[in-house]
């Protein structure tokens, strides 16, 4: 008997069957049952197709097997196969059954029926990203979205600044710390990705129900677990613990995240002791109070009244004791080297807390209302005293080095002459900055759905209290180097003071209606609405009308069109209103400009989606053309991630562009996408019209991004993930110089991140069936900045003995490695 068992096990073969189940229109069929017929009597082996119709089934047998494809409303298909190959790709077409019992909805890539794009966040764990597994790691590969600092979770959309992006969690807008000036100071993104259920994103033309921001909206909905679930992740840059539990009446989720980018920061050109520590706790709890008082056959399962609590606390600590820095720059003929030796340290602390209590439910089968009470508090402290002794010299290069000229051109040299010292000196940077801010808001929202109409409305009141204390200065001591002096003595190179207090209130409201027509020729969705915004500080009333149309023709080719337009405002919060005035002692003092008006743009967006199949796989090609004209705005400059506003309405501008994105399964069962964007963004300073139209601070005239997944058919549990970004460098100019504003351009931002992931679950390994409480575990290896490109983030400006100014580049992270582990429990 033992011999027979051995012979049987030797001849048993493990075969993987995969492919797509399609209907007669070549569309993927979701939730189709695919199973091994002979295993039904013992331990049923089967699976079901995903929303694209893809299935993946592994069978171990020593004889022929029968694979069954079964779906309600379709004829069942059985295929008898011999296990003569390890991997077999089978695509099946199911015909509709004449005895269809109910309406069957055929799904594929979800169609966009408004200006919000649905984001699949399942890939965020596998996208190699130095700042963690946040939702932003997915967004920055989308068309129109750019990020040129991998240490930051902030992003730009279609030429806008970081502050022009709105983020909503469960319908409540969230805020970020205000004093952060460098990517390495940033902690974790507010959104805990383990708690997310749905994500929608719009790069422009969004509805009136979303607030007064000019660039984009990220709308996130947290999930409500129906059973126990948990996860544990760990890697070189930190880890997280998540636990969720619930049933039909209540749910709760808790998440703790920790991040330390100390290892990653070790590749920066400024050497020293980095001490970044970021901690975050978040919870989301819901309770159903019982059934609605309205009982009817039209009542839905979700008609219960629900109470929800969302709370978050984050503690971000950043310490830094610099040691030295060396940077080469200039042109071929005038190469320079700047070497700095440091003394002193920096210690920053950012504490934020957020809480929101929500009540929602149906007052009738067609009407749902909700009330939200939320509060946000931040306490931020920035403290540093850093002294640097520098040597500026010419820099003969040996061919292995590169430097960047003012226009971003890479230069090199084969000479090895002795360097000549052009200047020596000392500088001292000092800051004692504190900021506290509190925001309390009460909001009411509602919706009424009747036949083809969906009406939404909302009204909110908000109180803001901000206290800002700034005391920072910089002193440079070197004759003719970069420190101004007068007959009375030496002056500070730069000094700023602030003792500002703000107590203000806002009232906002919106109403919009969507109407859907169904005809034989097309499905048309028309949405129109308006926002109202009043702020007590400047007594400004904003009215923002917006409208969009989506057309889905009944053509043989699966294509849709959309167009949106509207008036969009960027209502000032705090940073935008900080006007500056320099006194006779060279000290710049901050005052709050109560005459400042909201930036205003008129936007037009036209887009189209084309859904098709190639090689039996689903694809979606998206194109969006857009135009934005800003007739009133506030100029700003960008240094790292700090945005400095002028505090006055002193600029107008425009942006036009085109975004393209191809999304689909380049490899069966693995989503990938490619995006390309091109734009032109210009601004004109109203205080200096003689300068003409300048490059806008966030203009990137081209950007290419790709996320690609692949695996071996014989080893599908091992995946490779590649993210590639190539974007034009941003404009830059000499600090506090109007004439040189935006005259230079940084080198292109280029980056390739590679990840390898091995997934172990019951589908891939039989031993995992014995681990009842472990759903799967994943181990990954990542290489950040695979090619070790030196990307420039900002510049440190110096002058030589002749008074010439030079831009010494500050480089971002180099090549780094990471190993991460993730375990999902059930």
């Amino acid at each position: 008997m033992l011999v027979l068992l051995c012979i049987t096990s030797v001849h048993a073969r493990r075969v993987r069957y995969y492919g797509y189940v399609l209907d007669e229109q070549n569309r993927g069929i979701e939730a189709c049952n695919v199973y091994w017929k002979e295993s039904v009597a013992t331990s049923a082996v089967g699976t079901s197709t995903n929303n694209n119709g893809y299935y993946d089934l592994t069978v171990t047998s020593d004889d022929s097997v029968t694979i069954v494809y079964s779906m309600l409303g379709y004829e069942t298909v059985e295929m008898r196969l011999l296990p003569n190959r390890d991997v077999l790709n089978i695509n099946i077409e199911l015909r509709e059954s004449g005895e269809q019992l109910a309406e069957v909805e055929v799904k594929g890539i979800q169609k966009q029926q408004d200006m919000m794009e649905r984001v699949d966040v399942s890939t965020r764990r596998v996208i190699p990203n130095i700042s963690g597994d946040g939702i932003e790691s997915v967004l920055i590969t989308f068309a129109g979205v750019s990020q040129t600092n991998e240490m930051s979770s902030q992003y730009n959309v279609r030429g806008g600044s970081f502050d022009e992006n709105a983020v909503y969690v469960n319908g409540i807008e969230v805020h970020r710390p205000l004093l952060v000036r460098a990517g390495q100071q940033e902690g974790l993104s507010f959104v805990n990705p383990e708690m997310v259920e749905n994500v929608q994103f719009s790069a422009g033309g969004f509805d009136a129900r979303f607030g007064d921001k000019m660039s984009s909206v990220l709308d996130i909905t947290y999930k409500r677990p129906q059973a126990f679930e948990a996860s544990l992740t760990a890697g070189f840059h930190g880890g997280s613990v998540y636990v969720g539990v619930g049933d039909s009446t209540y749910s709760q989720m808790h998440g703790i995240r920790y991040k330390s980018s100390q290892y990653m920061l070790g590749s920066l050109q400024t050497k020293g002791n980095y001490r970044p520590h970021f901690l975050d706790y978040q919870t989301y709890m819901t309770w159903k109070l019982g059934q609605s008082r309205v009982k009817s056959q039209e009542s839905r399962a979700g008609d219960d009244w629900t109470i929800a609590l969302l709370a978050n606390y984050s503690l971000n600590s950043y310490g830094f004791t610099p040691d030295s820095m060396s940077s080469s720059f200039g042109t071929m003929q005038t190469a320079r080297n700047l070497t700095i030796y440091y003394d002193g340290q920096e210690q920053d602390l950012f504490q934020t807390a957020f809480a929101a209590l929500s009540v929602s439910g149906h007052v009738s089968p067609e009407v749902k209302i909700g009330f939200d009470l939320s509060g946000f508090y931040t306490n931020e402290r920035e403290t540093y005293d850093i002294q640097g002794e520098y040597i500026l010299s010419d820099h003969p290069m040996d061919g292995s080095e590169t430097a960047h000229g003012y226009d971003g051109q890479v230069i090199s040299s084969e000479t090895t002459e002795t360097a000549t010292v052009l200047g020596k000196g000392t500088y001292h940077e000092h800051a004692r900055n504190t900021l506290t801010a509190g925001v309390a808001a009460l909001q009411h929202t509602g919706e009424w759905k009747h036949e083809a109409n969906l009406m939404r409305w909302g009204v909110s009141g908000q109180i803001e209290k901000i206290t800002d204390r700034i005391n920072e200065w910089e002193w440079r001591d070197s004759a003719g180097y970069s420190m101004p002096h007068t007959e009375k003595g030496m002056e500070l190179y730069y000094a700023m003071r602030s003792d500002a207090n703000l107590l203000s209130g806002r009232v906002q409201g919106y109403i919009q209606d969507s109407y859907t027509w169904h005809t034989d020729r097309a499905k048309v969705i028309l949405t129109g609405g308006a926002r109202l915004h009043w702020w007590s500080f400047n007594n400004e009333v904003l009215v923002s009308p917006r409208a969009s149309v989506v057309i889905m023709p009944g053509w043989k080719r699966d294509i849709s069109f959309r167009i949106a337009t509207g008036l969009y405002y960027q209502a000032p919060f705090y940073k935008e209103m900080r006007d500056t005035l320099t006194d006779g002692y060279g000290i710049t003092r901050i005052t709050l400009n109560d005459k400042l008006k909201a930036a205003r743009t008129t936007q037009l967006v036209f887009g189209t989606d084309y859904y098709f199949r190639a090689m039996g796989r689903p694809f979606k090609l998206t194109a969006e053309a857009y135009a934005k004209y800003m007739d009133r705005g506030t100029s700003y400059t960008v240094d790292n991630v700090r945005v400095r506003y002028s505090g006055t309405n002193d600029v107008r501008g425009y942006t036009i562009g085109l975004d393209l994105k191809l999304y689909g399964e380049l490899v069966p069962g693995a989503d990938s996408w490619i995006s390309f964007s091109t734009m032109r963004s210009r601004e004109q300073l109203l205080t200096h019209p003689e300068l003409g139209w300048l490059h806008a601070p966030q203009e990137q005239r081209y950007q290419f991004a790709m996320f690609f997944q692949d695996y071996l058919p014989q080893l599908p549990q091992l995946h490779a993930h590649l993210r590639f970004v190539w974007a034009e460098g941003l404009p830059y100019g000499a600090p506090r110089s109007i004439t040189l504003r935006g005259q230079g351009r940084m080198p292109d931002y280029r980056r390739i991140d590679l990840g390898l992931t091995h997934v172990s679950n019951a589908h891939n390994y039989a031993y995992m069936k014995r681990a009842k409480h472990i759903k799967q575990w994943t181990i990954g290896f990542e290489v950040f900045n695979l090619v070790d490109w030196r990307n420039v983030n900002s510049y440190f400006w110096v002058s030589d003995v002749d008074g010439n100014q030079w831009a010494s580049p500050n480089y971002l992270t180099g090549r780094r490695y990471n190993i991460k582990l993730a375990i999902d429990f059930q």
Side-chain angles (χ1 to χ4, degrees):
M1 177 62 71
L2 180 61
V3 174
L4 291 176
L5 289 174
C6 293
I7 293 174
T8 301
S9 63
V10 169
H11 286 83
R13 190 167 190 170
R14 184 180 175 90
V15 183
R16 174 178 173 242
Y17 303 96
Y18 73 97
Y20 295 89
V21 180
L22 311 173
D23 64 9
E24 295 174 280
Q25 283 73 44
N26 202 34
R27 298 177 299 185
I29 300 176
E30 183 182 18
C32 175
N33 295 313
V34 183
Y35 60 91
W36 177 21
K37 185 176 182 180
E38 289 80 1
S39 70
V40 173
T42 55
S43 57
V45 177
T47 186
S48 59
T49 57
N50 65 10
N51 62 334
N52 293 324
Y54 178 79
Y55 72 94
D56 197 320
L57 179 66
T58 301
V59 173
T60 302
S61 176
D62 59 346
D63 199 356
S64 60
V65 298
T66 302
I67 305 299
V68 180
Y69 303 83
S70 174
M71 177 66 184
L72 180 66
Y74 294 86
E75 297 179 356
T76 299
V77 172
E78 297 186 4
M79 293 194 66
R80 191 166 185 82
L81 305 164
L82 291 173
N84 54 4
R85 296 173 60 183
D86 293 333
V87 180
L88 191 60
N89 176 230
I90 303 174
N91 296 329
I92 293 293
E93 180 182 296
L94 298 187
R95 297 182 178 181
E96 292 188 8
S97 171
E99 299 179 357
Q100 185 170 339
L101 301 178
E103 181 180 355
V104 177
E105 182 181 4
V106 180
K107 297 182 179 180
I109 299 176
Q110 190 170 6
K111 295 185 178 180
Q112 186 172 338
Q113 301 190 27
D114 52 24
M115 300 307 295
M116 302 294 291
E117 179 181 2
R118 278 64 181 172
V119 180
D120 180 10
V121 296
S122 61
T123 56
R124 53 94 189 164
R125 264 195 185 181
V126 298
I127 292 182
N129 186 41
I130 195 172
S131 61
D133 300 333
I135 305 300
E136 296 82 2
S137 64
V138 182
L139 290 183
I140 59 178
T141 58
F142 281 20
V145 183
S146 66
Q147 183 189 69
T148 55
N149 187 342
E150 64 272 6
M151 293 182 292
S152 170
S153 61
Q154 302 192 54
Y155 50 90
N156 309 105
V157 179
R158 292 177 175 173
S161 73
F162 309 128
D163 298 324
E164 296 177 19
N165 305 312
V167 179
Y168 288 83
V169 176
N170 294 343
I172 301 172
E173 187 172 5
V174 298
H175 302 274
R176 305 176 64 94
L178 300 175
L179 282 184
V180 172
R181 57 184 172 83
Q184 54 265 38
Q185 291 176 306
E186 277 194 30
L188 296 149
S189 168
F190 177 88
V191 180
N192 188 326
E194 298 293 341
M195 303 170 73
V196 171
E197 181 177 45
N198 296 315
V199 177
Q200 300 182 87
F201 178 75
S202 175
F206 39 88
D207 296 342
R209 60 192 173 103
F210 297 110
D212 291 304
K213 300 288 187 179
M214 294 196 303
S215 288
S216 73
V217 166
L218 179 63
D219 187 25
I220 294 171
T221 303
Y222 276 5
K223 59 187 176 182
R224 299 179 181 180
Q226 300 297 304
F228 174 79
E229 59 183 38
S231 67
L232 172 68
T233 64
F236 287 174
H237 60 267
S240 67
V241 177
Y242 159 77
V243 177
V245 66
D247 55 25
S248 60
T249 59
Y250 91 103
S251 68
Q252 59 177 313
M253 297 187 295
H254 304 272
I256 298 177
R257 296 177 293 167
Y258 172 75
K259 173 185 173 182
S260 175
S261 52
Q262 184 174 17
Y263 167 68
M264 306 300 174
L265 297 178
S267 63
L268 296 180
Q269 67 187 116
T270 301
K271 305 305 178 181
N273 180 18
Y274 292 90
R275 302 179 302 280
H277 301 285
F278 311 116
L279 183 66
D280 171 273
Y281 167 74
Q282 196 161 149
T283 182
Y284 180 56
M285 296 178 282
T286 67
W287 300 268
K288 287 189 176 180
L289 300 181
Q291 295 295 322
S292 170
R293 292 178 296 174
V294 180
K295 304 290 183 180
S296 71
Q297 293 182 351
E298 298 179 1
S299 296
R300 297 184 296 271
D303 287 347
D304 300 332
W305 282 84
T306 302
I307 296 179
L309 174 65
L310 173 63
N312 170 267
Y313 173 76
S314 66
L315 177 64
N316 301 335
S317 173
Y318 175 75
F320 176 43
T321 304
D323 180 58
S324 63
M325 185 275 288
S326 180
S327 177
S328 301
F329 56 93
T331 63
M332 177 73 71
Q333 292 77 20
T334 55
R336 297 289 183 263
N337 175 267
L338 177 67
T339 301
I340 305 177
Y341 300 96
Y342 295 101
D343 186 24
Q345 66 174 345
E346 175 179 357
Q347 187 63 55
D348 306 324
L349 184 66
F350 304 89
Q351 298 181 80
T352 61
F354 172 84
L357 181 65
S358 304
V359 180
S360 62
H362 285 81
V363 296
S364 76
E366 297 179 334
V367 179
K368 181 179 180 181
I369 62 173
F371 298 90
D372 305 297
L373 178 63
S374 63
F376 168 78
Y377 175 77
T378 180
N379 186 350
E380 307 172 24
R381 185 176 73 243
E382 186 180 46
T383 304
Y384 57 81
D385 269 296
I386 297 178
Q387 181 175 325
E389 296 182 357
Y390 52 79
I391 300 174
L392 178 67
S393 61
D394 61 6
H395 181 59
M397 291 180 288
D398 59 7
S400 61
E401 299 172 284
T402 60
H404 295 282
Y406 186 78
D407 59 356
Q409 180 183 6
V410 178
I411 56 120
S412 63
S413 174
E414 299 293 337
T415 63
T416 56
E417 301 172 2
T418 303
T420 301
V421 175
L422 302 178
K424 293 182 179 181
T426 302
Y427 76 92
H428 188 168
E429 293 180 341
H430 167 94
R432 295 293 186 271
N433 301 332
T434 61
L435 183 144
T436 59
V439 179
L442 177 63
Q443 174 180 261
H444 161 65
T445 58
E447 65 177 45
W448 172 65
K449 189 173 185 180
H450 178 70
E451 297 180 350
N453 272 90
L454 175 59
M455 179 175 290
R456 291 188 172 103
W457 68 87
V459 61
S460 66
Q462 179 173 300
I463 297 176
E464 306 152 359
K465 183 178 181 180
I466 300 174
T467 302
D468 188 17
R469 301 291 182 265
I470 294 179
N471 180 9
E472 62 181 54
W473 49 261
E474 181 178 350
W475 170 73
R476 297 185 182 181
D477 179 18
S478 178
Y481 179 67
S482 62
M483 196 214 73
H485 63 278
T486 65
E487 295 178 355
K488 298 179 180 180
M490 296 181 297
E491 298 178 353
L492 293 175
Y493 177 74
Y494 160 77
M496 179 172 286
R497 303 285 189 274
S498 175
D499 191 14
N501 298 282
L502 173 67
L503 178 62
S504 63
R506 299 176 192 264
V507 176
Q508 302 181 63
Y510 69 87
I511 185 170
Q512 73 174 49
D513 183 59
S514 296
Y515 188 82
T516 304
W517 287 277
H518 289 275
T519 68
D520 294 336
R521 293 186 176 182
K523 177 182 178 181
V524 180
I525 304 173
L526 173 63
T527 302
R531 286 191 64 85
L532 182 70
H533 186 130
W534 173 78
W535 190 25
S536 65
F537 183 75
N538 61 1
N539 201 30
E540 182 181 23
V541 177
L542 309 176
V543 180
S544 176
R546 306 173 189 178
S548 64
V549 179
V550 177
I551 303 174
M552 307 172 71
W555 299 344
K556 185 176 181 180
R557 293 185 179 274
D558 202 348
I559 193 169
S560 64
F561 304 94
R562 59 184 174 274
I563 185 171
T565 186
L567 194 62
Y568 292 81
Y569 289 92
Q570 180 76 21
F573 181 67
Y574 176 70
K575 292 191 296 183
E576 297 93 331
M577 71 181 72
R578 296 198 297 187
D579 197 0
T580 57
L581 177 65
T582 304
D583 61 22
Y585 296 96
I587 298 176
T588 302
R589 300 188 182 276
I590 291 178
T591 59
L592 301 184
N593 182 10
D594 60 1
K595 305 298 182 183
L596 181 70
K597 302 298 182 182
R600 180 173 58 198
T601 62
T602 302
Q603 301 187 17
L604 178 64
V605 180
F606 175 78
T608 181
D609 296 326
Y610 175 43
Y611 303 84
F612 64 97
R613 282 187 175 266
M615 301 171 289
R617 306 168 198 165
F619 289 91
K620 173 186 174 183
L621 178 62
T622 297
E624 278 197 354
Y626 59 91
K628 300 189 289 186
Y629 174 69
M630 180 176 65
D631 65 330
R632 184 179 70 199
T634 301
S635 65
Y636 64 89
T637 58
V638 181
D639 181 15
N640 203 306
V641 298
R642 171 184 280 184
V643 181
R644 290 187 179 274
Y645 293 91
S646 66
T648 61
N649 297 122
D650 59 350
V651 70
R652 63 179 181 136
Y654 69 89
T655 302
I656 56 175
L658 174 67
D659 295 334
L660 301 173
K661 180 182 177 182
L662 177 64
Y663 176 92
E665 298 184 3
L666 299 177
V667 175
D671 292 331
S672 302
W673 56 86
I674 300 172
S675 65
F676 176 77
S677 301
T678 180
M679 73 156 71
R680 177 184 175 90
S681 185
R682 295 289 191 270
E683 66 176 14
Q684 185 180 50
L685 297 177
L686 302 181
T687 54
H688 295 81
E690 70 279 2
L691 298 179
W693 290 94
L694 307 174
H695 297 286
Q698 300 291 353
E699 182 194 50
Q700 289 180 297
R701 291 172 293 191
Y702 55 84
Q703 173 177 314
F704 174 84
M706 177 180 67
F707 174 66
F708 176 71
Q709 297 190 85
D710 198 3
Y711 60 87
L712 295 174
Q714 294 80 7
L715 196 63
Q717 59 268 38
L718 181 62
H719 280 239
H721 319 276
L722 184 143
R723 186 181 70 169
F724 175 38
V725 176
W726 189 311
E728 184 184 33
L730 295 173
Y732 74 97
R736 295 175 287 279
S737 173
I738 297 297
T739 57
L740 294 179
R741 183 185 180 96
Q743 296 301 306
R745 190 171 286 273
M746 298 181 187
D748 286 1
Y749 180 86
R750 303 169 298 169
R751 188 175 181 90
I752 297 177
D753 299 319
L754 177 66
L756 297 175
T757 303
H758 183 275
V759 180
S760 299
N761 52 34
H763 177 73
N764 298 325
Y765 296 100
Y767 78 89
M768 287 294 296
K769 296 180 180 179
R770 298 190 295 271
K772 296 182 180 180
H773 299 294
I774 298 180
K775 183 178 179 180
Q776 71 174 24
W777 66 275
T778 305
I779 187 169
F781 174 71
E782 297 174 321
V783 183
F784 302 121
N785 198 357
L786 180 67
V787 188
D788 201 22
W789 279 317
R790 302 180 71 193
N791 292 308
V792 176
N793 179 42
S794 60
Y795 289 92
F796 180 76
W797 287 81
V798 296
S799 299
D800 59 20
V801 293
D802 298 321
N804 299 314
Q805 292 197 72
W806 297 93
S808 173
N810 298 316
Y811 293 105
L812 290 165
T813 57
R815 185 187 298 117
R816 276 294 187 261
Y817 307 94
N818 184 38
I819 296 177
K820 64 180 182 179
L821 174 69
I823 305 176
D824 294 319
F825 301 91
Q826 60 185 1

